[in-house]
Amino acid sequence: MGLPWDFHPVQGERVTLDLLRDADLEALHEMQSDPAVCRYLLYEPRSLEQVREALRRDAAATRLASAGDFIQPAIRERDGTFLGTMYFTIASVEDTGEIGWIMLPRHHRKGYAREAAALVLDLAFGELGLHRVFAELDPRNAASVALCRSLGMRHEGHFVEHMWLKDEWTDTGHFAILEREWRARGSESR
Ligand SMILES: CC(C)(COP(=O)(O)OP(=O)(O)OC[C@H]1O[C@@H](n2cnc3c(N)ncnc32)[C@H](O)[C@@H]1OP(=O)(O)O)[C@@H](O)C(=O)NCCC(=O)NCCS
C-alpha cells in the first residue's frame, strides 16, 4: 500500500476504470469538444488534434509517485463502452489527492459518475493510503456540486473571483473528505 502506485484496472458493480486507448478517440472527442461539457472545465472545447494529443498524454500517465502525478482513466461499462473519464492527482499537500470527473452527456444521470468516483475514493484511501481527497469546481456547476455532496464531501471553501477564466472572474468551490469519513460511510458510499 502507498506510493508509488502503478495503474491497474479497477472493477465496480457496473463500471470499470481502465486506461484510455486509441479506440476511445472518437468518444473522447465527442465529449471534450462539446461546449456544454466544457462550460465549467478549465479548457475550451478541443479540436480532434488537441484531443488526440491529450489522449496520448493521459494514456501514458500510469504512475502515481509524487505531487503532480496524475491518472485520467476511462470510465467504461462492463462491455467496454466508453462513458467518460475520471481524474486523480497527487496534490502538493502531504497525503492529499484531488479528484475530478467528466461524463458523455448521453450517459448523465445514471449514477455512473458516482460509482466511478467511489472507486477512486476507495483507491485513494485504500491502496494509495491517502488521508484527504478534495475537489475544486465552479459553484455554478450544479451536477458537480451534487456529485460531491452525494459522495459525502464537505463544502469547505468558496473562493470569490478566484481566477480569470473564459473571459470572467470565476469563483471556486472546495469540497473534501477524509479517509476516516469515507470509511465511516461504509456501504452508504457505494
Ligand atoms: C458532473 C458530472 C460528471 C456528473 O455525472 P453523472 O454521471 O450525470 O452523475 P451521476 O448520475 O453519478 O449523479 C451523481 C449525483 O449528482 C446528481 N446530479 C447529477 N447531475 C445533476 C444536475 N444536473 N443537477 C442536480 N443534480 C445532479 C444526481 O442526482 C446524483 O445524486 P444522488 O447520488 O444523490 O442521487 C456530469 O454532469 C458532467 O460530465 N458534467 C460536465 C463536465 C464537468 O463539469 N465536470 C466537472 C468539472 S468540476
Side-chain angles (χ1 to χ4, degrees):
M1 285 221 309
L3 303 176
W5 178 85
D6 290 306
F7 188 87
H8 62 78
V10 180
Q11 179 72 63
E13 220 170 276
R14 296 186 301 160
V15 306
T16 304
L17 302 180
D18 195 9
L19 285 180
L20 285 165
R21 40 190 186 241
D22 289 348
D24 295 323
L25 181 63
E26 199 181 320
L28 200 61
H29 179 241
E30 179 185 340
M31 191 174 82
Q32 295 188 348
S33 65
D34 184 332
V37 169
C38 296
R39 173 63 188 93
Y40 297 119
L41 301 184
L42 294 178
Y43 55 82
E44 298 286 356
R46 287 175 170 164
S47 67
L48 184 61
E49 204 35 58
Q50 287 173 318
V51 175
R52 202 190 305 276
E53 186 55 37
L55 193 159
R56 206 174 292 136
R57 179 196 63 210
D58 295 343
T62 59
R63 172 165 265 223
L64 298 175
S66 54
D69 290 347
F70 71 96
I71 53 171
Q72 179 106 7
I75 307 167
R76 301 185 196 283
E77 268 178 318
R78 277 183 169 264
D79 67 1
T81 304
F82 177 94
L83 302 170
T85 55
M86 288 300 301
Y87 174 75
F88 189 79
T89 187
I90 303 297
S92 54
V93 181
E94 197 157 341
D95 291 335
T96 297
E98 179 178 359
I99 190 170
W101 34 64
I102 313 176
M103 300 292 296
L104 264 174
R106 63 174 172 279
H107 297 299
H108 284 185
R109 304 302 292 258
K110 298 178 184 170
Y112 286 141
R114 193 184 183 291
E115 184 181 330
L119 290 176
V120 171
L121 291 174
D122 280 344
L123 188 69
F125 294 133
E127 285 181 51
L128 300 182
L130 299 184
H131 176 63
R132 182 175 182 274
V133 172
F134 68 87
E136 290 201 325
L137 45 74
D138 186 317
R140 294 171 295 183
N141 189 347
S144 210
V145 168
L147 179 50
C148 286
R149 292 197 186 284
S150 173
L151 291 162
M153 299 179 82
R154 183 177 35 253
H155 184 213
E156 295 192 345
H158 183 116
F159 301 97
V160 177
E161 298 191 8
H162 180 233
M163 60 182 160
W164 181 256
L165 186 65
K166 302 187 178 179
D167 296 327
E168 60 177 346
W169 283 109
T170 304
D171 294 1
T172 296
H174 187 102
F175 287 79
I177 188 162
L178 302 175
E179 186 264 352
R180 62 174 179 272
E181 295 168 335
W182 180 246
R183 290 210 188 282
R185 290 173 65 81
S187 57
E188 192 194 332
S189 56
R190 301 306 169 279

